[in-house]
Amino acid sequence: MNVKRMIVTMLLLLTVAGPASALAPSWYWLLQDAQTGIQLYVDNNNVYKSQDYAVVWTKMLYPSGKYMLCQFKLYRRGYADLMFISTRDAQGHTIRDIHPGPNGQHMTIVPGTRLDALYYACYGTSPSNNY
């Protein structure tokens, strides 16, 4: 009887936890910086959007193969919060993880920057059109 109860409990937990977990990343190429060769990708599978903001994961791939995973919160009002950064080597090993906290909050999205391109990809407009 205990074995049946344990199996039912495990199946129930897997059913509940499944939809709540993040999907495997699906990296969508967004742009390449002509001067540095850095390529910017957005994870299409793990974007959260509301009326006021979007939370997105990005991947900045350097020509050396090193890359940075960043999570941004982009506000419709034209600013962004940097929520998390993970720098990885070309083999995917973590070099450093950073949680900026309040110091990384409310960067203004400047036209022509990577953040501006990311904002446009999320909302289909420039931040200056939303003031």
PDB file of all heavy atoms in Angstrom, residues 2 15 20 26 28 34 42-43 49 61 71 73 77-78 104 110 126 131:
ATOM      1  N   ASN A   2       1.947   1.296   0.780  1.00  0.00           N
ATOM      2  CA  ASN A   2       2.826   2.470   0.818  1.00  0.00           C
ATOM      3  C   ASN A   2       3.502   2.718  -0.515  1.00  0.00           C
ATOM      4  O   ASN A   2       3.728   3.858  -0.897  1.00  0.00           O
ATOM      5  CB  ASN A   2       3.894   2.311   1.905  1.00  0.00           C
ATOM      6  CG  ASN A   2       3.355   2.688   3.269  1.00  0.00           C
ATOM      7  OD1 ASN A   2       2.342   3.365   3.346  1.00  0.00           O
ATOM      8  ND2 ASN A   2       4.023   2.234   4.312  1.00  0.00           N
ATOM      9  N   THR A  15       3.710  15.889 -12.440  1.00  0.00           N
ATOM     10  CA  THR A  15       2.687  16.547 -13.242  1.00  0.00           C
ATOM     11  C   THR A  15       2.590  18.028 -12.899  1.00  0.00           C
ATOM     12  O   THR A  15       2.490  18.879 -13.770  1.00  0.00           O
ATOM     13  CB  THR A  15       1.310  15.877 -13.018  1.00  0.00           C
ATOM     14  OG1 THR A  15       1.432  14.494 -13.330  1.00  0.00           O
ATOM     15  CG2 THR A  15       0.246  16.509 -13.866  1.00  0.00           C
ATOM     16  N   ALA A  20       5.716  24.098 -14.734  1.00  0.00           N
ATOM     17  CA  ALA A  20       6.327  25.249 -14.057  1.00  0.00           C
ATOM     18  C   ALA A  20       7.810  25.388 -14.388  1.00  0.00           C
ATOM     19  O   ALA A  20       8.384  26.444 -14.224  1.00  0.00           O
ATOM     20  CB  ALA A  20       6.147  25.119 -12.549  1.00  0.00           C
ATOM     21  N   SER A  26      15.766  28.101 -26.778  1.00  0.00           N
ATOM     22  CA  SER A  26      15.696  28.128 -28.238  1.00  0.00           C
ATOM     23  C   SER A  26      16.274  29.475 -28.657  1.00  0.00           C
ATOM     24  O   SER A  26      15.581  30.487 -28.638  1.00  0.00           O
ATOM     25  CB  SER A  26      14.242  27.994 -28.699  1.00  0.00           C
ATOM     26  OG  SER A  26      14.146  28.180 -30.086  1.00  0.00           O
ATOM     27  N   TYR A  28      17.452  32.481 -30.693  1.00  0.00           N
ATOM     28  CA  TYR A  28      17.112  33.183 -31.927  1.00  0.00           C
ATOM     29  C   TYR A  28      18.156  34.281 -32.148  1.00  0.00           C
ATOM     30  O   TYR A  28      18.347  35.143 -31.283  1.00  0.00           O
ATOM     31  CB  TYR A  28      15.706  33.788 -31.809  1.00  0.00           C
ATOM     32  CG  TYR A  28      15.310  34.688 -32.940  1.00  0.00           C
ATOM     33  CD1 TYR A  28      14.903  34.164 -34.157  1.00  0.00           C
ATOM     34  CD2 TYR A  28      15.341  36.074 -32.786  1.00  0.00           C
ATOM     35  CE1 TYR A  28      14.539  34.997 -35.202  1.00  0.00           C
ATOM     36  CE2 TYR A  28      14.975  36.913 -33.822  1.00  0.00           C
ATOM     37  CZ  TYR A  28      14.585  36.363 -35.028  1.00  0.00           C
ATOM     38  OH  TYR A  28      14.229  37.185 -36.063  1.00  0.00           O
ATOM     39  N   ALA A  34      29.261  44.846 -35.631  1.00  0.00           N
ATOM     40  CA  ALA A  34      30.222  44.896 -36.736  1.00  0.00           C
ATOM     41  C   ALA A  34      31.648  45.133 -36.251  1.00  0.00           C
ATOM     42  O   ALA A  34      32.600  44.639 -36.847  1.00  0.00           O
ATOM     43  CB  ALA A  34      29.826  45.986 -37.729  1.00  0.00           C
ATOM     44  N   VAL A  42      18.479  35.710 -28.489  1.00  0.00           N
ATOM     45  CA  VAL A  42      17.401  35.778 -27.503  1.00  0.00           C
ATOM     46  C   VAL A  42      16.801  34.385 -27.380  1.00  0.00           C
ATOM     47  O   VAL A  42      16.592  33.698 -28.381  1.00  0.00           O
ATOM     48  CB  VAL A  42      16.296  36.769 -27.950  1.00  0.00           C
ATOM     49  CG1 VAL A  42      15.149  36.785 -26.967  1.00  0.00           C
ATOM     50  CG2 VAL A  42      16.860  38.154 -28.128  1.00  0.00           C
ATOM     51  N   ASP A  43      16.504  33.978 -26.155  1.00  0.00           N
ATOM     52  CA  ASP A  43      15.876  32.682 -25.919  1.00  0.00           C
ATOM     53  C   ASP A  43      14.365  32.826 -26.103  1.00  0.00           C
ATOM     54  O   ASP A  43      13.674  33.358 -25.240  1.00  0.00           O
ATOM     55  CB  ASP A  43      16.204  32.188 -24.509  1.00  0.00           C
ATOM     56  CG  ASP A  43      15.542  30.865 -24.174  1.00  0.00           C
ATOM     57  OD1 ASP A  43      14.903  30.263 -25.057  1.00  0.00           O
ATOM     58  OD2 ASP A  43      15.657  30.450 -23.013  1.00  0.00           O
ATOM     59  N   LYS A  49       6.168  38.099 -20.911  1.00  0.00           N
ATOM     60  CA  LYS A  49       5.742  39.468 -21.219  1.00  0.00           C
ATOM     61  C   LYS A  49       4.443  39.786 -20.508  1.00  0.00           C
ATOM     62  O   LYS A  49       3.535  38.978 -20.460  1.00  0.00           O
ATOM     63  CB  LYS A  49       5.531  39.636 -22.726  1.00  0.00           C
ATOM     64  CG  LYS A  49       6.818  39.801 -23.497  1.00  0.00           C
ATOM     65  CD  LYS A  49       6.645  39.814 -24.975  1.00  0.00           C
ATOM     66  CE  LYS A  49       5.847  40.969 -25.483  1.00  0.00           C
ATOM     67  NZ  LYS A  49       5.830  41.065 -26.944  1.00  0.00           N
ATOM     68  N   LEU A  61      27.533  35.929 -27.715  1.00  0.00           N
ATOM     69  CA  LEU A  61      28.574  35.003 -28.129  1.00  0.00           C
ATOM     70  C   LEU A  61      29.755  35.779 -28.700  1.00  0.00           C
ATOM     71  O   LEU A  61      29.609  36.523 -29.680  1.00  0.00           O
ATOM     72  CB  LEU A  61      28.018  34.032 -29.172  1.00  0.00           C
ATOM     73  CG  LEU A  61      28.970  33.000 -29.748  1.00  0.00           C
ATOM     74  CD1 LEU A  61      29.514  32.087 -28.648  1.00  0.00           C
ATOM     75  CD2 LEU A  61      28.256  32.186 -30.817  1.00  0.00           C
ATOM     76  N   GLN A  71      20.013  37.860 -18.032  1.00  0.00           N
ATOM     77  CA  GLN A  71      18.565  38.004 -17.923  1.00  0.00           C
ATOM     78  C   GLN A  71      18.262  39.476 -17.694  1.00  0.00           C
ATOM     79  O   GLN A  71      18.833  40.112 -16.807  1.00  0.00           O
ATOM     80  CB  GLN A  71      18.009  37.178 -16.769  1.00  0.00           C
ATOM     81  CG  GLN A  71      16.489  37.189 -16.715  1.00  0.00           C
ATOM     82  CD  GLN A  71      15.947  36.378 -15.562  1.00  0.00           C
ATOM     83  OE1 GLN A  71      16.479  36.433 -14.454  1.00  0.00           O
ATOM     84  NE2 GLN A  71      14.896  35.627 -15.813  1.00  0.00           N
ATOM     85  N   LYS A  73      15.119  42.553 -17.515  1.00  0.00           N
ATOM     86  CA  LYS A  73      13.713  42.938 -17.376  1.00  0.00           C
ATOM     87  C   LYS A  73      13.593  44.267 -18.112  1.00  0.00           C
ATOM     88  O   LYS A  73      14.195  45.260 -17.711  1.00  0.00           O
ATOM     89  CB  LYS A  73      13.346  43.085 -15.905  1.00  0.00           C
ATOM     90  CG  LYS A  73      11.882  43.278 -15.641  1.00  0.00           C
ATOM     91  CD  LYS A  73      11.622  43.253 -14.133  1.00  0.00           C
ATOM     92  CE  LYS A  73      10.158  43.220 -13.811  1.00  0.00           C
ATOM     93  NZ  LYS A  73       9.936  43.162 -12.351  1.00  0.00           N
ATOM     94  N   ARG A  77       8.475  51.573 -20.322  1.00  0.00           N
ATOM     95  CA  ARG A  77       8.783  52.997 -20.152  1.00  0.00           C
ATOM     96  C   ARG A  77      10.181  53.368 -20.640  1.00  0.00           C
ATOM     97  O   ARG A  77      10.608  54.501 -20.482  1.00  0.00           O
ATOM     98  CB  ARG A  77       8.631  53.399 -18.689  1.00  0.00           C
ATOM     99  CG  ARG A  77       7.268  53.074 -18.108  1.00  0.00           C
ATOM    100  CD  ARG A  77       6.162  53.940 -18.650  1.00  0.00           C
ATOM    101  NE  ARG A  77       6.026  55.114 -17.821  1.00  0.00           N
ATOM    102  CZ  ARG A  77       5.655  56.286 -18.277  1.00  0.00           C
ATOM    103  NH1 ARG A  77       5.388  56.449 -19.532  1.00  0.00           N
ATOM    104  NH2 ARG A  77       5.543  57.300 -17.481  1.00  0.00           N
ATOM    105  N   GLY A  78      10.956  52.388 -21.195  1.00  0.00           N
ATOM    106  CA  GLY A  78      12.241  52.718 -21.788  1.00  0.00           C
ATOM    107  C   GLY A  78      13.456  52.502 -20.918  1.00  0.00           C
ATOM    108  O   GLY A  78      14.501  53.091 -21.162  1.00  0.00           O
ATOM    109  N   GLY A 104      22.375  47.185 -10.522  1.00  0.00           N
ATOM    110  CA  GLY A 104      22.128  46.948 -11.934  1.00  0.00           C
ATOM    111  C   GLY A 104      20.747  47.385 -12.372  1.00  0.00           C
ATOM    112  O   GLY A 104      20.264  46.994 -13.422  1.00  0.00           O
ATOM    113  N   VAL A 110      19.140  53.198 -24.601  1.00  0.00           N
ATOM    114  CA  VAL A 110      19.626  54.218 -25.532  1.00  0.00           C
ATOM    115  C   VAL A 110      19.422  53.724 -26.963  1.00  0.00           C
ATOM    116  O   VAL A 110      19.750  52.578 -27.278  1.00  0.00           O
ATOM    117  CB  VAL A 110      21.122  54.507 -25.265  1.00  0.00           C
ATOM    118  CG1 VAL A 110      21.667  55.524 -26.246  1.00  0.00           C
ATOM    119  CG2 VAL A 110      21.319  54.967 -23.826  1.00  0.00           C
ATOM    120  N   SER A 126      10.227  51.259 -30.790  1.00  0.00           N
ATOM    121  CA  SER A 126      11.318  51.862 -30.034  1.00  0.00           C
ATOM    122  C   SER A 126      10.796  52.311 -28.674  1.00  0.00           C
ATOM    123  O   SER A 126       9.647  52.706 -28.558  1.00  0.00           O
ATOM    124  CB  SER A 126      11.851  53.069 -30.813  1.00  0.00           C
ATOM    125  OG  SER A 126      12.775  53.770 -30.035  1.00  0.00           O
ATOM    126  N   TYR A 131       6.563  56.743 -24.362  1.00  0.00           N
ATOM    127  CA  TYR A 131       6.517  57.750 -23.282  1.00  0.00           C
ATOM    128  C   TYR A 131       5.247  58.534 -23.354  1.00  0.00           C
ATOM    129  O   TYR A 131       4.659  58.769 -24.333  1.00  0.00           O
ATOM    130  CB  TYR A 131       7.722  58.691 -23.350  1.00  0.00           C
ATOM    131  CG  TYR A 131       9.023  57.995 -23.128  1.00  0.00           C
ATOM    132  CD1 TYR A 131      10.032  57.999 -24.083  1.00  0.00           C
ATOM    133  CD2 TYR A 131       9.252  57.309 -21.947  1.00  0.00           C
ATOM    134  CE1 TYR A 131      11.231  57.361 -23.873  1.00  0.00           C
ATOM    135  CE2 TYR A 131      10.447  56.655 -21.731  1.00  0.00           C
ATOM    136  CZ  TYR A 131      11.428  56.678 -22.686  1.00  0.00           C
ATOM    137  OH  TYR A 131      12.617  56.042 -22.468  1.00  0.00           O
TER     138      TYR A 131
END
